[in-house]
Amino acid sequence: MLDFFAIFSKGGIVLWCFQGAGVTESFTGPVNALLRSVILQERSGNNSFTHNSLSLKYKLDNEFELVFVVGFQKILTLTYVDKFIDDVQLHFRDRYKNELEQRGALKFLLNNFEFGDDFHTLMREAEVSSKAKAPVSMRNFNESEKSKKTVKSMIETKDGDKTKEQGGKKSKNAKKEGEKSESGGDQAKAASKKAVENGNESLTQEEIIERNRAKFISKQLGGGKAEKPSKSPKPQKPKGKANRVWDMGGKSIGELDYSGTNGNNSSDAQNQDPDATAEPLIQVDSMKGDLRGVDYESSDDEDEVVQEEERVVVANTKKGAKKGGFGGMFGMLKGLVGSKNLTQEDMEPVLDKMRDHLIAKNVAAEIASQLCVSVAKKLEGKVMGTFTTVASTVKQALQDSLVQILQPKRRVDILRDVLEARSQRKPFVITFCGVNGVGKSTNLAKISYWLIENGFTVLIAACDTFRAGAVEQLRTHQRRLNSLHPPEKHGGQPAVQLFEKGYGKDAAGIAMEAIAFARNQCFDVVLIDTAGRMQDNAPLMTALAKLIAVNTPDLVLFVGEALVGNEAVDQLVKFNQALADHSKTDKPRLIDGIVLTKFDTIDDKVGAAISMTYITGQPIVFVGTGQTYSDLRSLNARAVVSALMKA
């Protein structure tokens, strides 16, 4: 049933392996894919992995730095695999505990791990326990609990009234008498209530008449009407709005007229540029060479958090010391010195706080949970360092995991790739895609400026044929970029040109013509601007997949804004899914990199970078940090993680 089972160290030394009968293919390919895509990328939140036709499950042993991997055909449903891999781990640890405690690669190579008999015994036990039990014969009616119930027990009673069986129907006369008694009781209650309200509850009828006569006589002798209660005062009307007094309100119109001033007063109208329609002077920094990384200025909050943790540790140690003598001292050392293995119960409170912290920093909730599970699996069973707390250990592990996620498994070097494409006499093609309003056209112009600064010529293909003003926006960027780099500096040829066919045309056809035009005119780079589309818009997603499949660009960049949280996961998953569904090849072209925009608007809520990179496994190539052409940076993983872990 199993194709293979392998036990190896995190250093890469295989301690023992098993290969199923009839399996001829080597398991090195699936295991290497597991290491590259999951373990090294800190994605161990889920203990399963699929590679081609195989399904792999793994378990990490952090105390002895071991990895247990089992592989089987993914069409099979093996319910015993999870328990089986746990049993194998426990038996292997118990049998070779002394050998495993001798750390070092040489010790592993010298030891001989004969684990075959134990493995087959455990596998037989697991298969036997997982076999389906014999079907239970159906009970007949006499054996069921329903047969024991009587008709009387199934009759429901209401508010303790007698049922038909117990008392029969009430007589009409009894019913009428009950109604009369009830109505009489209600009238008595109403009369008594009225008497109480009038204040006459203790007087007879004659006394009430005498008192009313006395009131009437006193009223007549007084000669006036009874005083009415004073009415509530009328609300005052709100005062009207006071007139505003302006600073120059007392001056006449003639004093405010500056149109007749002479040149000595240097009026603004005389100093204005006579050519009002000319392009404004743009001050842009130079961007030659590689892009600078995103800077993050860490404040003193992190130091305060560390000091707070130290104060908590000191307070706990003082409590232990006060308990008395050497017992308190040894209790203090026991809580600090690395003498125990971390368990899930120890880490759970800290991980819950870390999860809430990541979600507050805009990390998608699902991604935050998977990261915390991955850190727990990475630390479970590991011996704590000397004089360290659980919180500091978990925080450091999470920080290392985040840095590992943000560091790309492949480096995208656009300048080198453009030079290589130029040597082959073909343009380097980049396609930009994303949802509406994230800044595709603006960041395309920034990337154009960066490429021009490095001596390349750029052709912009206006393939957004839906949004009104999209072509005019690109034409404005082209005019401003050419004003920064006049044609005189590029041999009389403009550094940037715009290829457009208007609106309502097929975007894939425009992109194909633009690439052919760039090849004939010897352009170095073609930047394809596509229409913004929501991930649920099936027709537009189909058009995007067609554009990428027909033109096969060298780089497909997804443009996303740093303001999104859980939406980033949905966008990237559905964009990749649409590209895969509408592709006609076995290996569809998916997103190759990410452009993260509006990074200057989020302060330290940088969680979108983690969410996007975790979902796609692709690097963040560019980061937009402002509104000028030079506000383009590369991702600095350490700076982003520092901002993310800031309290």
Side-chain angles (χ1 to χ4, degrees), residues 295-482:
D295 297 328
Y296 172 70
E297 297 179 359
S298 60
S299 61
D300 297 334
D301 293 342
E302 296 178 7
D303 298 335
E304 292 177 1
V305 171
V306 174
Q307 292 175 3
E308 181 66 25
E309 291 180 357
E310 292 177 354
R311 284 196 294 269
V312 171
V313 173
V314 172
N316 291 335
T317 55
K318 286 182 178 179
K319 284 182 181 179
K322 285 180 181 179
K323 289 182 179 179
F326 290 101
M329 180 63 68
F330 285 124
M332 174 190 70
L333 293 176
K334 185 179 180 181
L336 292 178
V337 179
S339 58
K340 80 170 209 174
N341 299 340
L342 281 174
T343 61
Q344 186 70 29
E345 290 75 15
D346 297 333
M347 296 182 288
E348 189 170 357
V350 182
L351 288 174
D352 289 341
K353 291 182 180 179
M354 289 291 180
R355 184 184 300 107
D356 296 339
H357 176 77
L358 291 176
I359 294 174
K361 290 299 181 79
N362 248 7
V363 179
E366 181 184 355
I367 306 300
S369 300
Q370 292 180 7
L371 281 171
C372 291
V373 172
S374 177
V375 170
K377 289 187 176 181
K378 182 180 178 181
L379 293 178
E380 189 174 5
K382 200 169 187 177
V383 180
M384 290 176 58
T386 307
F387 293 97
T388 56
T389 61
V390 176
S392 60
T393 304
V394 173
K395 184 176 180 180
Q396 185 61 42
L398 181 61
Q399 192 166 345
D400 295 340
S401 299
L402 294 174
V403 172
Q404 186 67 35
I405 289 170
L406 287 176
Q407 287 178 343
K409 56 186 179 183
R410 65 180 186 88
R411 185 168 183 264
V412 178
D413 193 342
I414 293 180
L415 296 180
R416 183 193 62 187
D417 295 339
V418 172
L419 290 174
E420 184 178 353
R422 178 194 278 179
S423 64
Q424 299 175 5
R425 297 182 179 276
K426 65 176 185 178
F428 186 79
V429 183
I430 304 176
T431 299
F432 296 83
C433 62
V435 300
N436 307 80
V438 294
K440 291 183 296 297
S441 302
T442 303
N443 285 273
L444 180 145
K446 294 180 184 180
I447 296 171
S448 300
Y449 177 73
W450 174 62
L451 292 169
I452 297 168
E453 285 281 306
N454 287 278
F456 299 115
T457 55
V458 178
L459 178 67
I460 300 176
C463 296
D464 185 356
T465 61
F466 294 93
R467 177 171 64 91
V471 176
E472 288 75 12
Q473 181 184 5
L474 292 177
R475 187 176 291 115
T476 301
H477 284 304
Q478 175 215 0
R479 185 172 66 248
R480 294 194 173 189
L481 289 171
N482 283 327

Side-chain angles (χ1 to χ4, degrees), residues 102-137:
Q102 300 174 2
R103 299 300 177 91
L106 185 60
K107 301 293 183 182
F108 283 150
L109 292 174
L110 294 177
N111 290 320
N112 188 15
F113 298 93
E114 295 292 341
F115 192 65
D117 296 337
D118 295 343
F119 176 79
H120 287 93
T121 302
L122 293 172
M123 187 166 64
R124 281 195 299 270
E125 293 176 356
E127 290 176 349
V128 169
S129 63
S130 67
K131 285 184 179 179
K133 296 181 180 180
V136 181
S137 60

Side-chain angles (χ1 to χ4, degrees), residues 140-154:
N140 56 25
F141 179 75
N142 295 328
E143 295 175 350
S144 65
E145 296 180 358
K146 191 174 182 180
S147 64
K148 300 176 184 178
K149 294 183 178 180
T150 62
V151 176
K152 183 178 179 180
S153 65
M154 290 187 286

Side-chain angles (χ1 to χ4, degrees), residues 578-596:
L579 295 180
D581 291 344
H582 300 294
S583 178
K584 297 181 181 180
T585 60
D586 296 335
K587 294 183 179 180
R589 184 65 180 279
L590 304 179
I591 293 170
D592 300 319
I594 299 168
V595 180
L596 195 61

